[in-house]
Amino acid sequence: MLGRRQLREKVMQNIYAYNCLGTNGEERMVEKNMLKSIDQIYDLYIYFLNLIKVQKEIAEHKIELAKSKNFPTKEDLNPNLKFVNNKVFTILEQNLELSRYSNDNKSLLWDIYDSYPNNIYKNLIESDLYKDYMKNDKNSFAEDLEFIMNLYVEFIAEYEDLHDYLEGIQITWADDVHIANAMVYTTLKSFRENSSPLISLFKVYKDLDDKKFTEELFRKTVRHQSETRKIVEEKAQNWELDRIATIDLIILEMALTEFLHFPNIPAKVTINEYVELAKNYSTEKSRVFVNGILDKSLKELKDNDNLPKYGRGLL
């Protein structure tokens, strides 16, 4: 599932898109596209799980082709089945949620003849990871799981050509690959040898509160931009607004919106979250700048008794 920081990232990206459009009439459309792009992270997550699963299907297909050769070798007729018998493949194959969602959304399935899964398989079988796994006589679920997790990290999560391909399918996926990768890795890590076919996969939202938070953060940031920009202008001495980096300004607007219009979120949590966003999406100087503006703003709001916090927001 997406954490609050990742949801803030999505809001930030879409406020940037909204600002680029330059018209208030587009607010609802941008919000709708934002929520759709968040929902589509689940599709990418399923697509990646199916990309793991198809590796077994490719291996089985190649085994059958080798057996049907005119002059099969002894190895062709008696192949090492350790890879295709990996217990993690079985868990993925039997998972009801994965099967049902994939069958309802067949575009998220891979074919054994698709180039990207075949390239992954080719690179895998030539690797030391695969060779060491196949020659190891141990057969344990722990070893199977470790192998699949390494397969995913080394040959799927870091496959740049695949990322370019995904952007061509769904443009928002380019920004969401790291989120889907984290969801897949955490899902794999949660598997146990006796995992039930009924085990639930990850959802994009932890609960309805997280979805509501995302919607409200976008709406309130947009609708209170004039208010929060005025605060930034007052606190950013010797800086004209047009000299502040666009992303830094959006980050400050969102943080100030949380100060003023999200009474249940502690101010220190807000500062920490947006300083991290500045660090990840801007520069080291931006991180210091954002932290300084928010500290000044928080102090003034407290001094003037204008910080509306209650409940958890007081922590």
Side-chain angles (χ1 to χ4, degrees):
M1 72 195 78
L2 278 70
R4 286 283 177 101
R5 182 174 300 167
Q6 292 162 323
L7 293 173
R8 288 179 172 97
E9 284 181 26
K10 298 301 290 184
V11 172
M12 179 192 71
Q13 292 163 1
N14 283 275
I15 289 174
Y16 178 84
Y18 169 80
N19 288 347
C20 289
L21 292 171
T23 166
N24 290 334
E26 302 293 343
E27 179 187 335
R28 183 65 191 132
M29 182 197 76
V30 175
E31 181 188 332
K32 183 178 177 181
N33 288 338
M34 175 185 72
L35 296 175
K36 182 180 178 182
S37 72
I38 292 173
D39 288 338
Q40 287 171 337
I41 294 173
Y42 182 78
D43 287 357
L44 180 56
Y45 166 61
I46 295 296
Y47 205 31
F48 279 158
L49 288 175
N50 283 330
L51 185 51
I52 297 172
K53 197 171 71 165
V54 79
Q55 298 303 308
K56 175 185 175 180
E57 297 167 26
I58 292 171
E60 289 176 326
H61 177 66
K62 292 187 180 299
I63 287 171
E64 292 306 312
L65 285 179
K67 285 182 179 179
S68 63
K69 289 192 304 189
N70 288 333
F71 301 101
T73 65
K74 183 178 179 181
E75 186 179 347
D76 291 334
L77 295 173
N78 297 283
N80 184 343
L81 298 177
K82 184 171 182 177
F83 179 74
V84 296
N85 288 335
N86 186 295
K87 299 176 185 68
V88 177
F89 288 134
T90 304
I91 294 173
L92 290 171
E93 289 168 341
Q94 292 179 349
N95 186 271
L96 293 180
E97 184 179 340
L98 179 59
S99 297
R100 287 170 182 166
Y101 195 83
S102 299
N103 288 333
D104 290 341
N105 300 272
K106 294 191 183 297
S107 62
L108 302 178
L109 290 168
W110 296 87
D111 190 274
I112 60 171
Y113 298 107
D114 289 339
S115 60
Y116 288 98
N118 273 281
N119 288 342
I120 289 168
Y121 180 76
K122 180 177 180 294
N123 291 333
L124 171 67
I125 63 174
E126 292 173 353
S127 69
D128 290 337
L129 173 69
Y130 179 84
K131 292 172 184 175
D132 291 343
Y133 173 74
M134 295 298 280
K135 70 184 181 184
N136 191 335
D137 292 334
K138 284 196 309 181
N139 282 292
S140 69
F141 179 77
E143 185 204 17
D144 283 353
L145 180 59
E146 182 181 7
F147 172 78
I148 294 296
M149 291 175 72
N150 287 330
L151 181 163
Y152 187 79
V153 170
E154 295 179 27
F155 297 94
I156 297 178
E158 298 181 1
Y159 189 8
E160 292 296 333
D161 288 348
L162 176 63
H163 298 173
D164 294 339
Y165 167 73
L166 294 171
E167 185 176 6
I169 298 175
Q170 178 55 250
I171 193 166
T172 59
W173 280 356
D175 294 322
D176 299 331
V177 165
H178 69 291
I179 300 174
N181 281 337
M183 291 169 68
V184 171
Y185 189 83
T186 306
T187 298
L188 293 173
K189 197 173 180 180
S190 73
F191 287 167
R192 299 293 179 266
E193 188 166 8
N194 59 351
S195 288
S196 165
L198 298 175
I199 187 174
S200 294
L201 301 179
F202 274 57
K203 302 295 183 288
V204 288
Y205 298 106
K206 182 180 71 174
D207 50 35
L208 289 177
D209 284 345
D210 273 3
K211 184 173 183 181
K212 183 180 178 183
F213 164 77
T214 307
E215 294 168 339
E216 290 189 350
L217 182 59
F218 176 81
R219 293 171 190 169
K220 290 180 178 180
T221 301
V222 167
R223 293 170 191 178
H224 293 283
Q225 275 186 324
S226 59
E227 174 190 13
T228 53
R229 284 192 180 189
K230 185 178 178 182
I231 296 173
V232 173
E233 195 168 22
E234 291 171 353
K235 298 295 174 291
Q237 295 176 0
N238 304 320
W239 284 85
E240 300 292 335
L241 280 185
D242 58 4
R243 291 180 58 209
I244 299 174
T246 302
I247 291 296
D248 293 352
L249 183 57
I250 292 172
I251 286 171
L252 288 168
E253 290 170 356
M254 290 173 65
L256 290 168
T257 299
E258 285 194 22
F259 280 174
L260 296 168
H261 303 287
F262 286 80
N264 281 318
I265 299 178
K268 287 297 183 184
V269 169
T270 293
I271 291 177
N272 290 340
E273 289 292 288
Y274 287 101
V275 167
E276 281 299 308
L277 273 185
K279 185 169 71 174
N280 293 335
Y281 282 87
S282 203
T283 67
E284 182 65 23
K285 288 183 179 179
S286 294
R287 181 184 70 81
V288 175
F289 174 70
V290 166
N291 189 56
I293 296 294
L294 294 181
D295 275 340
K296 282 185 193 176
S297 301
L298 178 59
K299 184 178 186 304
E300 184 173 299
L301 289 169
K302 283 182 175 179
D303 290 345
N304 296 331
D305 201 24
N306 287 329
L307 190 69
K309 297 293 181 183
Y310 56 79
R312 183 175 175 272
L314 292 172
L315 295 176

